[in-house]
Amino acid sequence: MIKISPSVLASDFSSLGAEAKRMEICGADYLHLDVMDGRFVPNITFGAPVIKSIRNKTNLIFDVHLMIDTPLDYIEDFKKSGADIIVFHIESSSDTAATVDKIIACGCKAGISVKPNTPVEEVFPYLEKLDMVLVMTVEPGFGGQSFMYETMDKIKTLRSEIKRRGLSTDIQVDGGINDKTVETAAAAGANVFVAGSAVFGAEDAAKAIDDLRNLAEKAFIG
Ligand code: DX5
Ligand code: ZN
């Protein structure tokens, strides 16, 4: 139920394949891959060819977070690169329903993300089709930012809507997750935790992952 998804944004990009394998050995559940296009967010990272280049380095589930303006145009590319879960932003320019359908048609699990100022109710019409909703706990674009506690009400609202409908949708949080904030997010109803600096910046990444998981398991309200 609780999943830890280290974000490679905080890793050593010169050894991305080895970093991915290291996360698998350290006990991660997913590998979080932040794709930024310099348009949807003011930063550029990497795209499908880079993801493809590390696909055979690890068996981890690839959790691809698209912070790009027209995700619909690139879903097939990311599927081919080895993505397992594709999450895009509802604030992007692509049609939301068409993008969800395309991800599912490609055989991937679909997720929608909301930025801190976007009401979470915007994802409600698509909930039945989604495996995951990502509630951003920082403004997307950069690692190492501080967790925004004001996003917790959205997680509580979303968790009760998921329960009300009898769904098993995962709620992911991303941004500023560490051993001080993970319990707050889990207590609000999140169960998938992205962590960049808290894992890659730790001296012992396996311990950091284990600590996050244990704290989240104790605090998760289910
Ligand atoms: C930010 C990215 C995050 C980022 C999180 O836009 O979506 O995945 O890597 O980094 P930390 O955990 O350092 O806040
Ligand atoms: Zn992310």
Side-chain angles (χ1 to χ4, degrees):
M1 191 61 170
I2 299 291
K3 310 268 186 207
I4 307 296
S5 188
S7 166
V8 300
L9 195 57
S11 75
D12 176 359
F13 276 16
S14 71
S15 317
L16 207 48
E19 289 285 73
K21 186 67 190 172
R22 182 164 75 92
M23 288 302 113
E24 182 183 334
I25 293 163
C26 286
D29 300 286
Y30 298 164
L31 192 69
H32 187 80
L33 296 148
D34 286 303
V35 177
M36 305 186 190
D37 66 354
R39 293 174 65 93
F40 183 75
V41 288
N43 195 9
I44 299 176
T45 53
F46 51 79
V50 171
I51 295 175
K52 187 162 185 242
S53 76
I54 61 164
R55 184 56 285 188
N56 67 359
K57 306 291 183 200
T58 171
N59 294 317
L60 280 175
I61 290 169
F62 277 9
D63 160 31
V64 176
H65 178 192
L66 299 180
M67 285 162 277
I68 65 177
D69 195 34
T70 58
L72 181 56
D73 299 343
Y74 300 95
I75 299 304
E76 269 172 45
D77 287 354
F78 285 103
K79 162 65 186 174
K80 284 185 199 148
S81 76
D84 297 293
I85 308 169
I86 300 181
V87 179
F88 69 99
H89 274 266
I90 200 158
E91 306 87 354
S92 73
S93 303
S94 292
D95 180 78
T96 303
T99 308
V100 169
D101 288 346
K102 181 84 181 178
I103 295 170
I104 295 168
C106 279
C108 290
K109 292 185 171 177
I112 296 181
S113 179
V114 289
K115 298 206 285 184
N117 291 326
T118 303
V120 75
E121 288 79 2
E122 290 191 15
V123 308
F124 286 5
Y126 313 98
L127 263 188
E128 259 79 12
K129 288 186 173 178
L130 301 177
D131 282 279
M132 189 158 81
V133 175
L134 166 53
V135 177
M136 290 301 299
T137 41
V138 298
E139 284 297 338
F142 301 92
Q145 304 182 75
S146 299
F147 182 83
M148 295 169 68
Y149 285 86
E150 58 270 39
T151 59
M152 292 301 103
D153 281 346
K154 295 202 297 189
I155 296 174
K156 290 177 192 157
T157 302
L158 178 61
R159 182 52 75 193
S160 54
E161 183 65 13
I162 288 168
K163 271 192 199 161
R164 194 182 69 75
R165 297 196 197 183
L167 300 172
S168 55
T169 323
D170 288 323
I171 302 181
Q172 184 176 50
V173 280
D174 181 9
I177 299 294
N178 55 40
D179 57 3
K180 313 271 183 311
T181 57
V182 67
E183 289 166 293
T184 303
N191 69 300
V192 182
F193 302 86
V194 176
S197 356
V199 170
F200 286 97
E203 251 172 58
D204 183 342
K207 183 177 183 302
I209 290 171
D210 205 42
D211 288 350
L212 288 174
R213 192 192 307 285
N214 289 334
L215 289 166
E217 267 165 7
K218 280 191 204 111
F220 182 59
I221 47 114

